[in-house]
Amino acid sequence: MNLFSGKNKEILLSPLSKKNPVVVQMLGICSALAVTAKLEPSIVMAVSVVIVIAFANVIISLIRKTIPNRIRIIVQLVVAAVLVTLVSEVLKAYAYEMSKQLSVFIGLILTNCILMGRMEAFGLSNGPWESFLDGIGHGAGYGLILIIVGFFRELLGSGTLLGIQVVPQFLYDLGYVNNGLMILPPMALITIAVIIWIHRARNKDLQEN
Amino acid sequence: MNRESNLYTVIYAGVLVVFVAAALAFTNQALKETQKKNEEIDKKIQILRCLNVTAEADEVEAKYNELIQESFLVNKDGSKAEGDAFSEDIAKAYSNGTALPVFVAKVDGATKFIIAMRGTGLWGPLWGYMALNDDKNTVYGADFSHAGETPGLGAEISTPHFGKQFSGKEIFKNGTFKSIAIVKPGKTADGQDYVDGISGGTITSQGVDKMIYSSLNNYVEFLKTK
């Protein structure tokens, strides 16, 4: 069996662009607005979401043949909640600084529609390896948008990247001012809209009539 | 076995819940000691930060022991109370007005009094420590922490440049307690010292303002006794 056959590659890579969960499927927008004021939390959130979606998908896929249909959503929720709690407990013990930054975001992962969506749409009806790739792919597709939005919001809103000043002082001396609007939530939505615009312009087949 | 039968569904749910509960309880118990240690180290880092001392996790213990001379508890009326200041629950202390922690530090030979603060921001609790010079009036340094303020906005209160503004401000004016106001950048406050709040973090800034007032208010009698 080829682990990276054409179909598996498609599962892994298509969520990055043509089936991107944020800009094409319009999922997970709420958390994308909340955490992207700075680049660092965006990256941390992206990594955490990749891990949680991948493993939640694998677990659901492994037990998919035993789950009673009527309570499947509850089972999915429990699996996701356990993973999120475990991740936060382990971080608290072994990466305390990280866990302090993550505190709210870890909780937000559970409310992320992409997570439940992938377990329901993919994990329940596919094998563990495919589910793992699907989870990685969708997590990465989500994370990619998060990082792009975080990059522009921190750069234009605070003049820094990862907390390091990148806009040179002489520009401020010349009268350049950080755009305070960029760190407010509405600008995240507008930034995502701009990404969608560019993305649709380059992928004509995604355009609706 | 029929996966759709009621019996199977109920048993499945029951087993799942018991299994999950056991797994979570086990993890929690297994990691509790390490987590508690981390919290203590973090608290010491915060206390050191209000003395403008930054320490890495592995050297905290040594620096803390070197700088902090003693710690004790005071009641709202200024009298001393029994107990361990470091492990005292500040939220409980404030609601009762008893057993408020005070840490005494020596920095370059000068005595500093460190008092604890606690309040609420936009999304959750705020807390911090304020170091006062030996006149028990002039602020030497301050440090603020939060549970979940918005990154880039309210969360900016935990950055060093926000805390640094407090240095040199006075909490008493002509012998009466005035606290330190947080104002919108560019505005001023009448009859008391003030610092700039965070743009875009208005509610968090107001929370800090209230926290400083209500927390220091508990210590007024202690601070008045020279």
Side-chain angles (χ1 to χ4, degrees):
Chain A
M1 194 179 101
N2 185 359
L3 287 182
F4 287 99
S5 63
K7 184 171 156 269
N8 285 352
K9 218 183 218 166
E10 168 77 15
I11 291 172
L12 180 66
L13 296 179
S14 69
L16 289 181
S17 173
K18 286 279 172 69
K19 286 186 190 161
N20 190 290
V22 182
V23 301
V24 179
Q25 301 178 35
M26 301 295 152
L27 293 172
I29 302 266
C30 19
S31 54
L33 302 186
V35 303
T36 52
K38 286 264 157 82
L39 183 56
E40 196 184 351
S42 312
I43 294 173
V44 169
M45 180 71 169
V47 173
S48 326
V49 168
V50 170
I51 295 169
V52 173
I53 299 190
F55 284 98
N57 233 356
V58 169
I59 293 174
I60 285 295
S61 170
L62 286 173
I63 60 171
R64 69 184 189 279
K65 296 209 167 98
T66 68
I67 301 174
N69 198 34
R70 276 178 293 176
I71 58 164
R72 66 179 196 284
I73 300 281
I74 300 172
V75 174
Q76 289 163 15
L77 196 65
V78 168
V79 167
V82 169
L83 273 177
V84 167
T85 315
L86 284 182
V87 168
S88 112
E89 288 278 321
V90 169
L91 283 178
K92 239 192 238 167
Y94 298 109
Y96 192 76
E97 273 306 302
M98 181 84 100
S99 89
K100 272 205 307 184
Q101 291 177 3
L102 275 173
S103 58
V104 268
F105 307 145
I106 286 279
L108 277 175
I109 296 175
L110 188 54
T111 66
N112 196 321
C113 353
I114 303 171
L115 178 56
M116 294 295 286
R118 288 332 289 169
M119 289 194 286
E120 174 76 10
F122 200 94
L124 265 183
S125 47
N126 288 281
W129 175 246
E130 286 84 0
S131 301
F132 182 72
L133 291 179
D134 181 76
I136 298 273
H138 277 83
Y142 168 82
L144 184 69
I145 301 299
L146 226 60
I147 290 169
I148 295 174
V149 176
F151 176 85
F152 284 109
R153 286 182 74 192
E154 183 169 354
L155 181 66
L156 301 176
S158 315
T160 58
L161 282 178
L162 295 171
I164 300 159
Q165 192 71 36
V166 289
V167 175
Q169 186 58 40
F170 75 86
L171 275 179
Y172 289 105
D173 297 339
L174 288 173
Y176 173 81
V177 182
N178 286 331
N179 186 349
L181 200 58
M182 284 305 286
I183 49 178
L184 298 175
M187 284 312 283
L189 204 54
I190 292 174
T191 313
I192 290 179
V194 171
I195 295 172
I196 294 173
W197 177 22
I198 296 169
H199 189 248
R200 297 274 156 113
R202 294 174 51 127
N203 297 282
K204 299 262 188 248
D205 50 325
L206 290 175
Q207 292 174 8
E208 291 126 17
N209 292 319
Chain B
M1 185 158 185
N2 177 14
R3 267 205 282 158
E4 302 311 321
S5 77
N6 286 344
L7 184 65
Y8 180 83
T9 306
V10 169
I11 292 173
Y12 192 91
V15 170
L16 182 76
V17 166
V18 169
F19 178 76
V20 161
L24 287 182
F26 175 77
T27 320
N28 185 273
Q29 285 301 318
L31 297 177
K32 207 173 202 168
E33 280 302 308
T34 339
Q35 291 174 353
K36 218 174 142 211
K37 186 107 187 101
N38 283 331
E39 273 164 31
E40 275 172 18
I41 289 178
D42 190 55
K43 192 168 176 183
K44 286 179 178 168
I45 292 180
Q46 289 170 22
I47 293 175
L48 288 178
R49 251 198 329 235
C50 84
L51 294 168
N52 308 323
V53 174
T54 46
E56 295 297 322
D58 49 351
E59 49 174 28
V60 170
E61 212 69 41
K63 270 198 179 159
Y64 182 87
N65 292 338
E66 179 196 326
L67 287 170
I68 306 294
Q69 302 291 314
E70 57 166 331
S71 61
F72 51 84
L73 296 167
V74 293
N75 292 324
K76 207 172 174 179
D77 58 14
S79 60
K80 288 208 175 182
E82 288 291 317
D84 174 23
F86 189 75
S87 55
E88 187 63 30
D89 180 359
I90 298 167
K92 210 172 84 197
Y94 283 176
S95 61
N96 299 339
T98 56
L100 313 152
V102 177
F103 304 90
V104 183
K106 265 232 172 7
V107 182
D108 299 331
T111 308
K112 314 284 175 198
F113 294 96
I114 301 168
I115 55 184
M117 300 180 286
R118 194 179 170 86
T120 34
L122 174 58
W123 303 115
L126 304 174
W127 63 95
Y129 296 91
M130 191 176 273
L132 301 170
N133 285 336
D134 52 4
D135 62 358
K136 290 183 177 175
N137 181 17
T138 320
V139 178
Y140 176 69
D143 180 66
F144 298 91
S145 305
H146 61 91
E149 298 306 300
T150 321
L153 301 172
E156 296 290 299
I157 59 162
S158 59
T159 56
H161 77 85
F162 182 73
K164 277 209 178 87
Q165 297 184 95
F166 287 85
S167 176
K169 306 285 179 193
E170 292 182 338
I171 55 174
F172 288 94
K173 289 283 178 202
N174 302 322
T176 42
F177 172 62
K178 287 287 185 192
S179 181
I180 297 166
I182 314 287
V183 297
K184 286 203 170 168
K187 295 271 171 61
T188 58
D190 262 349
Q192 64 184 128
D193 279 346
Y194 58 89
V195 300
D196 286 347
I198 304 289
S199 306
T202 307
I203 297 178
T204 309
S205 300
Q206 286 167 355
V208 174
D209 182 285
K210 281 201 195 92
M211 168 170 85
I212 295 173
Y213 179 82
S214 64
S215 303
L216 291 182
N217 202 21
N218 283 316
Y219 287 94
V220 166
E221 290 305 319
F222 165 73
L223 295 174
K224 273 184 176 165
T225 52
K226 300 282 167 175

